[in-house]
Amino acid sequence: MEKAFFLLFAAVAIGSGLLVITARNPIHSALALIVSLVQVAAIFVLLGSPFLAAIQIFVYVGAVMVLFLFVIMMLDVRKEARTRFLEKGIAPTLAVLVLLGGQMIALLLGSQRFPVRSAGAAGSLKELSKALFTDYLLPFEVVSVILLVALVGAIVLARKETD
C-alpha cells in the first residue's frame, strides 16, 4: 500500500513539475509548483519525517509561493509574455541545462561531503536541528541570502518609476 501511495505522489509531482515549465500562464505555472511541493511533502510523510513535511508546507508553499504569486500579480504579465527572452531559439539553452545537470549529478554522486541518508534517519528534532546548524550551516545561510535577494529584486521590479 505504501508503494502505491509513493508512486501516486511521485507521478503527480512529476506531472505538475512538467506543467510548471510548460504552462503559458505564469499563475497556472505557480499553482502547479504548489501542487508539486505538496506532493514532495506527502513523500516526506511516507518516509517517516512529518517535521520535514510540515516545514516544506510552511516555508515553500506558505511563504515562498505566496511571494511568487504576489510578484506575478504585480508585474505586467501580458507585456512580459509577448517578449521573447531568447532570440536564437531553445536548443542552446537545453544543451547548457543538460550539461549543467549532468555535471551536478556527477559531483553529488562523487562527493563525500554529502552522505546519502534517508529523510527519517535524523531520529529526532534535536538531532536534525544540530545537523542543520553545524554541518549544513553554510548552505542554510546561502539559501536565506538568496531568498532575501529575490525579495529585494521582486520589489525593485514591481516598483513604478516616478520621475
Side-chain angles (χ1 to χ4, degrees):
M1 187 68 170
E2 192 172 307
K3 184 178 179 181
F5 276 120
F6 174 78
L7 292 174
L8 175 69
F9 294 146
V12 173
I14 290 171
S16 61
L18 288 173
L19 189 60
V20 168
I21 59 174
T22 59
R24 296 229 178 231
N25 189 343
I27 294 177
H28 293 161
S29 180
L31 291 174
L33 185 57
I34 290 173
V35 170
S36 180
L37 293 172
V38 168
Q39 298 307 309
V40 170
I43 291 173
F44 280 147
V45 169
L46 285 178
L47 288 173
S49 185
F51 176 73
L52 286 179
I55 293 299
Q56 175 85 10
I57 297 292
F58 290 147
V59 173
Y60 291 110
V61 176
V64 174
M65 289 310 301
V66 169
L67 176 70
F68 282 3
L69 286 174
F70 280 146
V71 169
I72 289 171
M73 289 178 187
M74 287 182 359
L75 294 176
D76 187 10
V77 177
R78 291 186 189 115
K79 182 180 116 185
E80 295 297 326
R82 284 186 231 124
T83 317
R84 283 198 53 108
F85 292 105
L86 298 173
E87 297 298 326
K88 296 182 181 183
I90 199 163
T93 305
L94 288 177
V96 169
L97 284 175
V98 167
L99 180 69
L100 289 175
Q103 182 181 14
M104 184 185 311
I105 290 170
L107 287 174
L108 286 175
L109 290 178
S111 174
Q112 297 299 322
R113 177 150 170 89
F114 301 109
V116 178
R117 287 188 236 164
S118 67
S124 70
L125 182 59
K126 184 176 181 180
E127 292 173 15
L128 177 67
S129 60
K130 184 178 178 184
L132 182 64
F133 290 113
T134 56
D135 298 335
Y136 301 108
L137 180 64
L138 180 63
F140 184 76
E141 292 297 326
V142 168
V143 166
S144 65
V145 169
I146 288 172
L147 287 173
L148 179 65
V149 168
L151 178 64
V152 171
I155 291 170
V156 168
L157 286 174
R159 184 180 57 148
K160 300 277 188 216
E161 291 294 327
T162 55
D163 290 329

